[in-house]
C-alpha cells in the first residue's frame, strides 16, 4: 500500500525523469580560464518534501512497511527460486549501502568547508547531508542532525537529499512491480483489494446529498449511526435559514 502511494506521487509520473533524478545529474561547463561552471537543477522543495514523507516509513527498519521487511517477506515466498533470491540479496545490499549512514560504499561525494581566519574545518558526505534534510528539516526536527549539518546550509542538505528520495522511490516502485508479478504468477495469494484500494485522493472536493437536522446547542446526538434522531432534532426544510459557522 505504501509503495502504491509512492508510485502515485507526481515525481513518479515520468519514470525516466525519476530514474535520472536518482542519479543526481549535473552539467559541468569549462569556462576556459581554469574554472568550470556546475549546474544542477532539482524539483521544487515542497514537491520533494511530500515525496520524502511518502518514502519515510520505507527507510525505518522498525516500521511495519519498511523496505527491508517487505524484501524479507518476498524472500520467504521466493526461497525456492534461485534467480529471485539472488535479486533480493542484491536489492537488500543496495538499499543498505544507499540508506544506512555508516554503511561502506564506493560512490557519493564529500563536502568540505573551512575558515582560514578561525582555523576550523568540517566535512560531511552526501548521505549524512540528505539524512539531515529528511529527519531534520522535513519529517522530524532532529536537532543533533541539524547541528551537525548546519554549517553546510539548507541548500546543500536539500541537494544531497533529492537523489536519495528519488532513488528510494525507484526502488519502492520496482519492488511493487515485482510483487505484482509474483501475485500474477500465483506465488503470493494476497487479497486483490490491496492492489485496487484507494491510496491517494484523486479529488479534494466533496459534494453529496444528505438529510440534515438541527437542534439547540447541547442537544445529545444520536447514540450511533443507526439510532433515530430525538424529537429535539428538526429536519432542515426549504424555509430553514442556515448560516456558516463563521457567520
Amino acid at each position: 500500500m505504501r509503495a502504491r502511494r509512492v508510485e502515485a506521487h507526481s515525481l513518479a509520473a515520468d519514470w525516466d525523469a525519476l530514474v535520472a533524478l536518482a542519479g543526481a545529474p549535473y552539467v559541468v561547463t569549462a569556462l576556459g580560464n581554469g574554472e568550470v561552471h556546475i549546474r544542477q537543477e532539482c524539483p521544487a522543495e515542497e514537491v520533494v518534501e511530500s515525496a520524502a514523507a511518502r518514502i519515510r516509513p520505507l527507510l525505518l527498519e522498525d516500521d511495519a512497511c519498511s523496505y527491508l521487511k517487505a524484501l524479507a517477506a518476498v524472500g520467504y515466498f521466493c526461497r525456492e527460486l534461485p534467480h529471485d533470491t539472488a535479486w533480493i540479496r542484491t536489492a537488500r545490499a543496495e538499499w543498505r549501502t544507499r540508506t544506512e549512514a555508516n554503511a561502506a560504499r564506493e560512490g557519493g561525494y564529500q563536502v568540505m568547508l573551512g575558515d582560514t581566519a578561525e582555523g576550523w574545518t568540517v566535512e560531511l558526505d552526501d548521505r549524512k547531508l540528505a539524512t539531515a534534510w529528511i529527519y531534520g528539516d522535513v519529517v522530524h526536527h532532529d536537532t543533533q542532525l541539524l547541528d551537525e549539518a548546519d554549517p553546510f546550509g539548507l541548500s546543500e542538505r536539500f541537494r544531497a537529499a533529492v537523489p536519495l528520495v528519488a532513488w528510494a522511490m525507484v526502488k519502492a516502485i520496482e519492488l511493487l512491480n515485482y510483487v505484482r508479478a509474483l501475485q500474477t504468477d500465483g506465488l503470493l495469494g494476497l487479497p486483490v483489494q490491496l492492489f485496487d484500494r484507494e491510496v491517494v485522493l484523486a479529488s479534494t472536493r466533496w459534494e453529496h446529498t444528505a438529510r440534515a437536522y438541527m437542534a439547540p446547542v447541547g442537544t445529545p446526538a444520536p447514540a450511533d449511526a443507526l439510532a433515530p434522531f430525538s424529537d429535539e432534532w428538526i429536519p432542515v426544510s426549504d424555509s430553514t435559514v442556515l448560516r456558516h459557522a463563521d457567520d
Side-chain angles (χ1 to χ4, degrees), residues 26-228:
Y26 58 89
V27 177
V28 178
T29 304
L31 300 179
N33 58 356
E35 296 181 342
V36 296
H37 177 265
I38 303 171
R39 188 180 79 250
Q40 183 176 2
E41 296 186 13
C42 297
E45 186 184 19
E46 63 181 357
V47 174
V48 182
E49 184 174 348
S50 66
R54 292 192 182 188
I55 65 149
R56 174 197 167 277
L58 305 177
L59 298 171
L60 301 178
E61 291 191 41
D62 293 336
D63 218 297
C65 64
S66 78
Y67 181 86
L68 292 178
K69 282 185 178 179
L71 271 184
V74 171
Y76 173 81
F77 289 99
C78 297
R79 61 190 182 279
E80 304 299 331
L81 305 174
H83 177 271
D84 295 81
T85 54
W87 181 87
I88 290 168
R89 283 196 300 270
T90 299
R92 182 184 297 112
E94 288 178 345
W95 184 268
R96 291 190 182 280
T97 299
R98 190 71 183 262
T99 63
E100 293 184 0
N102 297 315
R105 63 172 180 166
E106 297 179 358
Y109 62 86
Q110 196 88 356
V111 180
M112 300 180 180
L113 298 177
D115 188 308
T116 55
E118 298 186 11
W120 57 263
T121 61
V122 291
E123 62 180 87
L124 278 182
D125 64 28
D126 57 318
R127 189 168 46 188
K128 290 184 178 179
L129 287 166
T131 301
W133 183 80
I134 294 172
Y135 293 108
D137 295 296
V138 180
V139 297
H140 294 298
H141 190 74
D142 189 313
T143 55
Q144 182 176 348
L145 288 174
L146 285 175
D147 288 345
E148 184 179 20
D150 182 64
F152 303 89
L154 174 61
S155 179
E156 198 66 58
R157 296 195 296 272
F158 174 70
R159 186 171 74 90
V162 170
L164 175 59
V165 171
W167 182 85
M169 292 179 68
V170 168
K171 294 304 169 182
I173 296 169
E174 287 179 344
L175 181 56
L176 172 61
N177 288 328
Y178 188 63
V179 168
R180 285 172 172 149
L182 294 175
Q183 176 79 357
T184 300
D185 292 342
L187 294 175
L188 298 183
L190 296 171
V192 176
Q193 57 266 31
L194 290 180
F195 300 92
D196 300 324
R197 186 182 302 167
E198 184 180 46
V199 292
V200 295
L201 291 174
S203 173
T204 53
R205 177 177 177 175
W206 288 268
E207 290 186 79
H208 57 273
T209 302
R211 293 184 179 277
Y213 295 80
M214 59 188 301
V217 175
T219 303
D224 55 54
L226 300 179

Side-chain angles (χ1 to χ4, degrees), residues 3-19 21 47 51 54 166 169-170 173:
R4 287 184 57 219
R5 188 166 172 83
V6 171
E7 182 184 46
H9 193 275
S10 60
L11 279 181
D14 186 332
W15 177 253
D16 291 337
L18 180 64
V19 172
L21 192 63
V47 174
R54 292 192 182 188
M169 292 179 68
V170 168
I173 296 169

